[in-house]
Amino acid sequence: MAGNNEHPPKARALGAELRECRIAAGVKQRELANQLDVSYVSISRYETGARTPKPEDVAQILATLGVVGAKYDELVDMARDADQPNWLDTSHTGIRRELTTLIEFERTAQRITDVATIVIPGLLQTSGYARAILGETSNDVDARVAMRVGRRDALMRRDAPEFVALIWEVALREPLGGYRTMVDQLHHITAMAERPNITVQILPAGSTRWHPAHAGSFILFNFPKSAPIVHVEHFHSTAFLHREKDVLAYEAATTTLQQLAMSPEDSVGLIAKIRDEMEGQA
Protein backbone atom coordinates (compact mmCIF):
# COMPACT_ATOMS: atom_id res chain seq x y z
CA MET A 1 0.00 0.00 0.00
CA ALA A 2 1.35 3.42 -0.95
CA GLY A 3 0.26 7.03 -1.11
CA ASN A 4 1.27 10.62 -0.49
CA ASN A 5 1.45 12.66 2.70
CA GLU A 6 -0.05 16.03 1.78
CA HIS A 7 -3.08 15.85 4.15
CA PRO A 8 -5.64 16.97 1.51
CA PRO A 9 -9.17 17.48 2.93
CA LYS A 10 -10.83 14.62 1.06
CA ALA A 11 -8.13 12.19 2.22
CA ARG A 12 -8.69 13.33 5.80
CA ALA A 13 -12.45 12.91 5.41
CA LEU A 14 -11.93 9.44 3.95
CA GLY A 15 -9.62 8.60 6.85
CA ALA A 16 -12.28 9.65 9.35
CA GLU A 17 -14.82 7.42 7.58
CA LEU A 18 -12.42 4.45 7.63
CA ARG A 19 -11.76 4.99 11.33
CA GLU A 20 -15.52 5.01 12.03
CA CYS A 21 -15.90 1.74 10.09
CA ARG A 22 -13.06 0.14 12.04
CA ILE A 23 -14.42 1.25 15.41
CA ALA A 24 -17.93 0.08 14.46
CA ALA A 25 -16.45 -3.32 13.64
CA GLY A 26 -14.71 -3.45 17.03
CA VAL A 27 -11.26 -3.84 15.50
CA LYS A 28 -8.07 -2.21 16.81
CA GLN A 29 -5.63 -0.52 14.43
CA ARG A 30 -2.89 -3.08 15.09
CA GLU A 31 -5.32 -5.96 14.65
CA LEU A 32 -6.46 -4.59 11.29
CA ALA A 33 -2.86 -4.06 10.20
CA ASN A 34 -2.03 -7.68 11.08
CA GLN A 35 -5.02 -8.97 9.11
CA LEU A 36 -3.97 -6.93 6.08
CA ASP A 37 -0.28 -7.80 6.51
CA VAL A 38 0.72 -4.12 6.50
CA SER A 39 2.36 -1.90 9.09
CA TYR A 40 0.35 -0.36 11.92
CA VAL A 41 1.76 3.02 10.85
CA SER A 42 0.13 2.70 7.42
CA ILE A 43 -3.34 2.24 8.94
CA SER A 44 -2.76 5.14 11.32
CA ARG A 45 -1.65 7.44 8.50
CA TYR A 46 -4.62 6.49 6.34
CA GLU A 47 -7.01 7.33 9.17
CA THR A 48 -5.46 10.74 9.80
CA GLY A 49 -5.21 11.64 6.11
CA ALA A 50 -1.41 11.82 6.31
CA ARG A 51 -1.35 9.23 3.51
CA THR A 52 -3.95 8.80 0.79
CA PRO A 53 -4.97 5.17 0.18
CA LYS A 54 -5.65 3.90 -3.33
CA PRO A 55 -9.14 2.58 -4.15
CA GLU A 56 -7.87 -1.01 -3.97
CA ASP A 57 -6.41 -0.30 -0.50
CA VAL A 58 -9.79 1.02 0.68
CA ALA A 59 -11.57 -1.97 -0.85
CA GLN A 60 -9.26 -4.34 1.02
CA ILE A 61 -9.73 -2.50 4.33
CA LEU A 62 -13.52 -2.42 4.01
CA ALA A 63 -13.74 -6.07 2.99
CA THR A 64 -11.67 -7.03 6.03
CA LEU A 65 -13.98 -4.97 8.26
CA GLY A 66 -17.08 -6.54 6.72
CA VAL A 67 -18.36 -3.33 5.16
CA VAL A 68 -20.57 -4.04 2.13
CA GLY A 69 -23.24 -2.43 -0.01
CA ALA A 70 -23.67 1.29 -0.58
CA LYS A 71 -21.13 2.25 2.11
CA TYR A 72 -18.47 0.09 0.46
CA ASP A 73 -19.15 1.58 -2.99
CA GLU A 74 -19.23 5.13 -1.61
CA LEU A 75 -15.86 4.95 0.14
CA VAL A 76 -14.06 3.12 -2.65
CA ASP A 77 -15.31 5.76 -5.09
CA MET A 78 -14.29 8.49 -2.64
CA ALA A 79 -10.69 7.22 -2.78
CA ARG A 80 -10.41 7.70 -6.54
CA ASP A 81 -9.49 11.38 -6.31
CA ALA A 82 -8.87 11.81 -2.59
CA ASP A 83 -5.39 13.20 -3.24
CA GLN A 84 -6.72 16.34 -4.95
CA PRO A 85 -5.97 19.57 -3.01
CA ASN A 86 -9.49 21.03 -3.20
CA TRP A 87 -12.75 19.13 -2.76
CA LEU A 88 -16.26 20.09 -3.90
CA ASP A 89 -18.86 17.67 -2.55
CA THR A 90 -22.31 17.67 -4.17
CA SER A 91 -23.15 14.01 -3.51
CA HIS A 92 -26.35 12.75 -1.94
CA THR A 93 -24.37 11.86 1.17
CA GLY A 94 -22.89 15.36 1.39
CA ILE A 95 -24.67 16.50 4.56
CA ARG A 96 -23.65 13.50 6.67
CA ARG A 97 -20.13 13.41 5.26
CA GLU A 98 -19.73 17.17 5.77
CA LEU A 99 -20.56 16.78 9.47
CA THR A 100 -18.14 13.87 9.82
CA THR A 101 -15.42 15.93 8.14
CA LEU A 102 -16.07 19.05 10.21
CA ILE A 103 -15.95 17.04 13.44
CA GLU A 104 -12.60 15.61 12.37
CA PHE A 105 -11.19 19.06 11.59
CA GLU A 106 -12.55 20.54 14.83
CA ARG A 107 -11.02 17.65 16.75
CA THR A 108 -7.54 18.17 15.31
CA ALA A 109 -7.39 21.95 14.74
CA GLN A 110 -5.16 24.28 16.70
CA ARG A 111 -7.12 27.38 15.67
CA ILE A 112 -10.55 27.81 14.08
CA THR A 113 -11.66 31.10 12.56
CA ASP A 114 -15.36 31.17 11.67
CA VAL A 115 -16.58 34.07 9.53
CA ALA A 116 -20.38 34.03 9.90
CA THR A 117 -22.36 36.46 7.80
CA ILE A 118 -25.97 35.25 7.91
CA VAL A 119 -26.31 32.77 10.80
CA ILE A 120 -24.51 32.18 14.10
CA PRO A 121 -21.42 29.92 13.85
CA GLY A 122 -22.28 26.25 14.29
CA LEU A 123 -19.98 25.79 17.29
CA LEU A 124 -21.84 28.58 19.14
CA GLN A 125 -25.40 27.53 18.31
CA THR A 126 -27.96 26.50 20.91
CA SER A 127 -30.21 23.52 20.22
CA GLY A 128 -33.23 25.79 19.67
CA TYR A 129 -31.40 27.95 17.15
CA ALA A 130 -29.91 24.92 15.38
CA ARG A 131 -33.37 23.37 15.14
CA ALA A 132 -34.74 26.54 13.55
CA ILE A 133 -32.11 26.22 10.81
CA LEU A 134 -31.91 22.45 10.32
CA GLY A 135 -35.62 21.76 10.68
CA GLU A 136 -36.27 23.30 7.29
CA THR A 137 -33.78 21.10 5.43
CA SER A 138 -33.53 17.76 7.23
CA ASN A 139 -35.67 14.68 7.79
CA ASP A 140 -33.48 13.54 10.70
CA VAL A 141 -33.50 16.89 12.47
CA ASP A 142 -33.24 15.50 16.02
CA ALA A 143 -30.05 13.59 15.26
CA ARG A 144 -28.52 16.51 13.39
CA VAL A 145 -29.34 19.01 16.16
CA ALA A 146 -27.81 16.67 18.75
CA MET A 147 -24.70 16.28 16.62
CA ARG A 148 -24.33 20.01 16.04
CA VAL A 149 -24.74 20.88 19.72
CA GLY A 150 -22.40 18.05 20.66
CA ARG A 151 -19.73 19.52 18.42
CA ARG A 152 -19.24 22.38 20.87
CA ASP A 153 -17.46 19.90 23.16
CA ALA A 154 -14.45 20.53 20.92
CA LEU A 155 -14.23 23.99 22.50
CA MET A 156 -14.55 22.69 26.07
CA ARG A 157 -11.87 20.04 26.30
CA ARG A 158 -8.55 20.59 28.05
CA ASP A 159 -6.59 20.93 24.79
CA ALA A 160 -9.33 22.92 23.04
CA PRO A 161 -8.41 24.91 19.93
CA GLU A 162 -8.42 28.68 19.85
CA PHE A 163 -11.76 29.72 18.37
CA VAL A 164 -12.33 33.11 16.75
CA ALA A 165 -15.86 33.98 15.66
CA LEU A 166 -16.23 36.96 13.33
CA ILE A 167 -20.00 37.52 13.20
CA TRP A 168 -21.71 40.07 11.02
CA GLU A 169 -24.20 42.13 13.01
CA VAL A 170 -26.92 41.07 10.54
CA ALA A 171 -26.79 37.52 11.93
CA LEU A 172 -27.43 38.79 15.46
CA ARG A 173 -30.54 40.71 14.48
CA GLU A 174 -32.25 37.95 12.48
CA PRO A 175 -34.58 36.27 15.03
CA LEU A 176 -34.49 32.77 13.56
CA GLY A 177 -36.79 30.49 15.53
CA GLY A 178 -38.50 33.48 17.12
CA TYR A 179 -37.42 36.14 19.59
CA ARG A 180 -37.29 33.81 22.62
CA THR A 181 -34.99 31.41 20.76
CA MET A 182 -32.77 34.27 19.65
CA VAL A 183 -32.57 35.76 23.14
CA ASP A 184 -31.38 32.40 24.47
CA GLN A 185 -28.88 32.21 21.60
CA LEU A 186 -27.42 35.64 22.36
CA HIS A 187 -27.16 34.78 26.07
CA HIS A 188 -25.22 31.66 25.05
CA ILE A 189 -22.77 33.60 22.87
CA THR A 190 -21.90 36.03 25.67
CA ALA A 191 -21.39 33.11 28.05
CA MET A 192 -19.13 31.28 25.60
CA ALA A 193 -17.14 34.48 24.97
CA GLU A 194 -15.98 34.35 28.60
CA ARG A 195 -13.96 31.21 27.91
CA PRO A 196 -10.23 31.92 27.51
CA ASN A 197 -9.95 30.10 24.16
CA ILE A 198 -12.94 31.83 22.54
CA THR A 199 -12.92 35.28 20.96
CA VAL A 200 -16.09 36.85 19.54
CA GLN A 201 -15.87 39.95 17.37
CA ILE A 202 -18.76 41.64 15.60
CA LEU A 203 -18.58 43.18 12.15
CA PRO A 204 -20.87 46.26 12.34
CA ALA A 205 -23.68 46.56 9.82
CA GLY A 206 -23.99 49.65 7.66
CA SER A 207 -20.59 49.55 6.01
CA THR A 208 -20.22 51.97 3.09
CA ARG A 209 -17.47 49.95 1.46
CA TRP A 210 -17.13 46.35 0.37
CA HIS A 211 -15.25 43.92 2.61
CA PRO A 212 -14.70 40.12 2.45
CA ALA A 213 -17.77 39.31 4.56
CA HIS A 214 -19.94 40.54 1.69
CA ALA A 215 -18.68 37.51 -0.27
CA GLY A 216 -20.13 35.04 2.25
CA SER A 217 -19.28 32.83 5.21
CA PHE A 218 -16.32 30.47 5.56
CA ILE A 219 -14.29 28.63 8.21
CA LEU A 220 -10.49 28.59 8.31
CA PHE A 221 -8.90 25.64 10.12
CA ASN A 222 -5.25 25.84 11.20
CA PHE A 223 -3.54 22.62 12.27
CA PRO A 224 -0.32 22.08 14.23
CA LYS A 225 1.27 19.66 11.75
CA SER A 226 -0.47 20.14 8.41
CA ALA A 227 -1.47 22.96 6.07
CA PRO A 228 -4.63 25.01 6.69
CA ILE A 229 -8.00 24.06 5.20
CA VAL A 230 -10.92 26.37 4.33
CA HIS A 231 -14.54 25.21 4.48
CA VAL A 232 -17.13 27.00 2.32
CA GLU A 233 -20.77 25.92 2.46
CA HIS A 234 -23.40 26.61 -0.19
CA PHE A 235 -27.10 25.76 -0.35
CA HIS A 236 -26.68 22.25 -1.75
CA SER A 237 -22.92 21.72 -1.83
CA THR A 238 -19.83 22.17 0.28
CA ALA A 239 -16.19 22.83 -0.58
CA PHE A 240 -12.96 22.21 1.30
CA LEU A 241 -9.99 24.20 -0.02
CA HIS A 242 -6.40 23.14 0.56
CA ARG A 243 -4.46 24.60 -2.39
CA GLU A 244 -2.01 27.18 -1.04
CA LYS A 245 -3.03 30.11 -3.22
CA ASP A 246 -6.70 29.61 -2.32
CA VAL A 247 -6.03 29.37 1.41
CA LEU A 248 -3.80 32.46 1.34
CA ALA A 249 -6.71 34.52 -0.02
CA TYR A 250 -8.93 33.46 2.88
CA GLU A 251 -6.18 34.07 5.41
CA ALA A 252 -5.85 37.62 4.06
CA ALA A 253 -9.63 38.01 4.31
CA THR A 254 -9.67 37.00 8.00
CA THR A 255 -6.90 39.51 8.73
CA THR A 256 -8.89 42.29 7.05
CA LEU A 257 -12.10 41.37 8.85
CA GLN A 258 -10.45 41.25 12.27
CA GLN A 259 -9.16 44.77 11.65
CA LEU A 260 -12.65 45.97 10.69
CA ALA A 261 -14.44 44.17 13.54
CA MET A 262 -15.26 45.64 16.93
CA SER A 263 -13.07 44.72 19.89
CA PRO A 264 -14.11 41.63 21.86
CA GLU A 265 -15.29 43.85 24.74
CA ASP A 266 -17.37 46.13 22.52
CA SER A 267 -18.69 43.12 20.64
CA VAL A 268 -20.04 41.50 23.81
CA GLY A 269 -21.60 44.84 24.72
CA LEU A 270 -23.40 45.04 21.38
CA ILE A 271 -24.64 41.46 21.69
CA ALA A 272 -26.04 42.25 25.15
CA LYS A 273 -27.73 45.38 23.79
CA ILE A 274 -29.40 43.49 20.95
CA ARG A 275 -30.40 40.73 23.38
CA ASP A 276 -32.05 43.23 25.71
CA GLU A 277 -33.94 44.78 22.81
CA MET A 278 -35.23 41.37 21.74
CA GLU A 279 -36.26 40.42 25.27
CA GLY A 280 -38.84 43.19 25.06
CA GLN A 281 -40.35 41.48 22.01
CA ALA A 282 -40.11 37.87 23.20
Side-chain angles (χ1 to χ4, degrees):
M1 296 186 176
N4 62 55
N5 57 0
E6 296 179 355
H7 294 80
K10 194 171 185 179
R12 296 186 64 174
L14 175 60
E17 295 272 12
L18 292 175
R19 185 175 65 246
E20 284 195 354
C21 290
R22 178 181 56 76
I23 293 173
V27 178
K28 302 289 186 182
Q29 280 188 342
R30 293 187 184 276
E31 181 183 351
L32 178 60
N34 289 336
Q35 293 179 25
L36 294 170
D37 195 25
V38 299
S39 71
Y40 156 76
V41 173
S42 292
I43 300 299
S44 177
R45 289 173 69 80
Y46 286 157
E47 291 188 0
T48 61
R51 173 176 291 180
T52 306
K54 296 178 180 179
E56 52 267 33
D57 298 331
V58 173
Q60 187 178 4
I61 291 171
L62 296 176
T64 302
L65 295 174
V67 177
V68 297
K71 185 73 170 180
Y72 176 96
D73 295 337
E74 173 193 337
L75 296 185
V76 171
D77 184 66
M78 191 176 176
R80 299 190 192 285
D81 60 352
D83 59 347
Q84 296 302 303
N86 291 346
W87 174 30
L88 174 64
D89 189 4
T90 59
S91 68
H92 68 283
T93 57
I95 291 175
R96 180 195 58 77
R97 186 184 295 159
E98 179 189 7
L99 286 172
T100 300
T101 306
L102 287 174
I103 290 171
E104 172 66 13
F105 292 168
E106 290 160 359
R107 183 183 70 84
T108 56
Q110 184 176 57
R111 176 186 172 97
I112 303 171
T113 305
D114 194 326
V115 175
T117 60
I118 303 299
V119 298
I120 303 303
L123 286 174
L124 295 181
Q125 290 178 10
T126 63
S127 58
Y129 185 89
R131 183 175 297 278
I133 297 171
L134 300 174
E136 298 297 323
T137 60
S138 175
N139 294 324
D140 55 348
V141 61
D142 290 339
R144 292 193 64 203
V145 168
M147 182 175 288
R148 175 160 294 193
V149 173
R151 282 167 50 199
R152 78 170 65 139
D153 290 345
L155 300 180
M156 309 292 191
R157 64 178 193 256
R158 187 176 59 181
D159 59 341
E162 179 185 359
F163 181 70
V164 178
L166 297 171
I167 307 173
W168 207 355
E169 183 181 344
V170 174
L172 301 176
R173 295 187 178 278
E174 189 83 346
L176 296 177
Y179 285 103
R180 184 70 261 165
T181 295
M182 198 62 194
V183 167
D184 292 342
Q185 175 62 75
L186 297 179
H187 269 293
H188 180 67
I189 295 175
T190 56
M192 292 290 281
E194 295 178 359
R195 299 187 66 85
N197 62 311
I198 297 177
T199 300
V200 176
Q201 291 184 260
I202 303 304
L203 291 157
S207 175
T208 57
R209 71 181 185 84
W210 187 93
H211 55 67
H214 288 99
S217 302
F218 63 90
I219 306 174
L220 172 64
F221 295 95
N222 292 97
F223 305 98
K225 295 183 179 180
S226 58
I229 291 174
V230 174
H231 172 245
V232 183
E233 184 177 10
H234 303 286
F235 174 67
H236 198 58
S237 62
T238 185
F240 292 93
L241 309 178
H242 184 61
R243 186 179 288 115
E244 183 178 10
K245 69 175 183 178
D246 296 326
V247 172
L248 285 173
Y250 283 93
E251 289 179 329
T254 60
T255 299
T256 297
L257 292 174
Q258 282 192 283
Q259 292 171 347
L260 294 173
M262 302 168 64
S263 69
E265 295 76 18
D266 290 344
S267 296
V268 170
L270 177 61
I271 295 170
K273 178 176 179 294
I274 295 172
R275 181 195 65 208
D276 292 344
E277 293 171 355
M278 286 192 176
E279 280 188 325
Q281 303 177 66

